[in-house]
C-alpha cells in the first residue's frame, strides 16, 4: 500500500530521494495519471511532479482532480505538496520555507470539486483548517530535526496565473492578509480534503511579489532560487517522510472524516 505522496511543484521534479523507483499508471474518471513510486524510510511513496517532468503543464491546466483521485485510489492517506511562491511579507524572504495554514482563493476557471451534482451529488466541505494540522505538525517536527528553519504559518493567495501579478494586485493581497502568492494550491488542497486525505504544503519563497521586488519577475529567477535550495527541500521531504512513518495514524485529524455528513468519499 502506498500511504504517502509528494506532489512536487516548480523546481521539484525528481524523486531521487526514493529507492527502487518504478512507474505507475492509474486510470481515473478524469484521465490516466502517470507517476513514480519508490521507497524511503520503510514507506512506499508516490511522486507526482505537478507541472510534468519538464514543466510543460501550466497551473490552470493541471489535472488536479485526476491527480488526487489517483492518489486516493492507490491508498495514499497523506500528501506533502511543495510550492514555489512569491512573498508579500517582508519577514518571509527568498529562500525561506513556510508551512502555510490558510489560503485566499483568487482562481477563476478551475473545476474545484469532485461533486458536480448528478450521481455524485453536492458537497459543501469544511475548510476551517484547510491544511491538515496533524501533517503540518509532523512537517514542523521534521524541519526541526533536519535543522531547517521554517515559518510556522502563512496565508497563501492562489491566483489563476499563468501570468505573474500586477503591483496593484500584490498590494490588494497584502491588505487582505495574504503572505504568499502562488498559482497551484487551489483546488489541490480542496480536492484532497474532499477525498478525505491529509494534505499539507511547504512553500518555498523564490522572490518578492511584483512591485515589492526591485526588478521585473522572471520564471528563471523562480527556478534558480528553487535550484539553489534543492538540498534543503530534499532534506525536509526526507525528514517529513520519516516523521510520517513513525506515526502515520490517520483519524487523529478532521481530514479522514471530512465527508462523514455525506456518507464518506467514494471513488
Ligand atoms: N507569483 C505567483 N506565483 C509565483 C510567484 C509569484 O511571484 N513566485 C513563484 N510562484
Amino acid at each position: 500500500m502506498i500511504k504517502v505522496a509528494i506532489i512536487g511543484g516548480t523546481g521539484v521534479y525528481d524523486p531521487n530521494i526514493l529507492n527502487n523507483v518504478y512507474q505507475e499508471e492509474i486510470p481515473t474518471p478524469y484521465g490516466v495519471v502517470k507517476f513514480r513510486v519508490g521507497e524511503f524510510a520503510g514507506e512506499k511513496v508516490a511522486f507526482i511532479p505537478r507541472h510534468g517532468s519538464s514543466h510543460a503543464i501550466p497551473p490552470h491546466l493541471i489535472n488536479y482532480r485526476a491527480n488526487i483521485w489517483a492518489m486516493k485510489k492507490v491508498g495514499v492517506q497523506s500528501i506533502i505538496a511543495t510550492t514555489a511562491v512569491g512573498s508579500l511579507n517582508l519577514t518571509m524572504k527568498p529562500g525561506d520555507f513556510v508551512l502555510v495554514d490558510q489560503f485566499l482563493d483568487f482562481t477563476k476557471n478551475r473545476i474545484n470539486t469532485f461533486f458536480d451534482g448528478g450521481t455524485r451529488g453536492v458537497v459543501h466541505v469544511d475548510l476551517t483548517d484547510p491544511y491538515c494540522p496533524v501533517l503540518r505538525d509532523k512537517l514542523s517536527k521534521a524541519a526541526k530535526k533536519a535543522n531547517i528553519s521554517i515559518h510556522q504559518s502563512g496565508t497563501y493567495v492562489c491566483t489563476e496565473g499563468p501570468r505573474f501579478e500586477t503591483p496593484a494586485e500584490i498590494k490588494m493581497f497584502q491588505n487582505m492578509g495574504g503572505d504568499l502568492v502562488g498559482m497551484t494550491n487551489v483546488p489541490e488542497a480542496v480536492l484532497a480534503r474532499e477525498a478525505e486525505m491529509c494534505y499539507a504544503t511547504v512553500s518555498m519563497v523564490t522572490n518578492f511579489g511584483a512591485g515589492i521586488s526591485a526588478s521585473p519577475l522572471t520564471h528563471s529567477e523562480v527556478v534558480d532560487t528553487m535550484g539553489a535550495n534543492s538540498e534543503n527541500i530534499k532534506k525536509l521531504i526526507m525528514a517529513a517522510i520519516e516523521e510520517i512513518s513513525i506515526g502515520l495514524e490517520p483519524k487523529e485529524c478532521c481530514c479522514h472524516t471530512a465527508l462523514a455528513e455525506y456518507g464518506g468519499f467514494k471513488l
Side-chain angles (χ1 to χ4, degrees):
M1 177 92 106
I2 307 166
K3 291 189 289 190
V4 185
I6 299 161
I7 301 185
T10 299
V12 183
Y13 305 118
D14 187 356
N16 61 4
I17 55 172
L18 305 175
N19 304 310
N20 304 322
V21 175
Y22 60 91
Q23 185 89 14
E24 187 71 270
E25 278 191 29
I26 298 291
T28 78
Y30 314 102
V32 173
V33 179
K34 293 183 189 167
F35 57 97
R36 282 179 279 180
V37 181
E39 286 165 28
F40 185 74
E43 289 293 335
K44 269 191 160 188
V45 179
F47 179 84
I48 301 186
R50 190 188 283 117
H51 298 281
S53 47
S54 54
H55 202 93
I57 313 170
H60 62 296
L61 295 181
I62 292 166
N63 197 341
Y64 295 99
R65 289 196 297 183
N67 289 348
I68 297 296
W69 189 281
M71 293 301 97
K72 182 74 179 178
K73 199 166 166 184
V74 298
V76 167
Q77 296 167 353
S78 299
I79 299 175
I80 302 168
T82 74
T83 53
V85 290
S87 176
L88 319 175
N89 179 331
L90 296 181
T91 70
M92 298 175 179
K93 302 184 177 65
D96 285 6
F97 288 111
V98 186
L99 210 39
V100 293
D101 63 339
Q102 287 290 325
F103 69 70
L104 291 167
D105 179 9
F106 279 85
T107 62
K108 292 174 183 159
N109 292 307
R110 302 183 187 186
I111 300 173
N112 58 10
T113 180
F114 288 115
F115 300 91
D116 282 328
T119 50
R120 287 197 68 76
V122 175
V123 157
H124 303 285
V125 77
D126 173 61
L127 286 182
T128 302
D129 279 320
Y131 302 90
C132 173
V134 175
L135 194 52
R136 287 182 63 251
D137 190 51
K138 288 187 197 301
L139 279 162
S140 174
K141 285 195 180 117
K144 203 177 249 172
K145 282 188 184 166
N147 211 12
I148 291 171
S149 76
I150 189 162
H151 298 269
Q152 298 296 324
S153 63
T155 295
Y156 178 109
V157 180
C158 194
T159 64
E160 183 68 10
R163 66 170 177 85
F164 288 120
E165 302 70 39
T166 65
E169 287 169 330
I170 292 292
K171 223 180 270 172
M172 174 183 74
F173 295 149
Q174 280 177 316
N175 288 338
M176 289 178 154
D179 295 302
L180 306 167
V181 62
M183 305 176 191
T184 52
N185 242 212
V186 185
E188 201 170 80
V190 180
L191 294 168
R193 180 60 56 79
E194 281 191 350
E196 301 187 306
M197 299 155 91
C198 299
Y199 176 98
T201 293
V202 179
S203 289
M204 151 70 82
V205 179
T206 55
N207 56 281
F208 280 115
I212 303 174
S213 173
S215 49
L217 305 186
T218 61
H219 181 61
S220 7
E221 174 185 0
V222 171
V223 173
D224 290 350
T225 310
M226 289 302 287
N229 289 287
S230 64
E231 276 311 305
N232 270 347
I233 298 170
K234 212 190 306 186
K235 258 173 44 188
L236 182 55
I237 291 175
M238 287 161 85
I241 298 170
E242 272 168 7
E243 200 59 42
I244 290 170
S245 71
I246 295 169
L248 188 66
E249 211 27 74
K251 306 183 173 58
E252 289 170 41
C253 54
C254 58
C255 313
H256 295 273
T257 51
L259 262 56
E261 189 185 351
Y262 301 93
F265 180 82
K266 290 172 196 74
L267 283 171

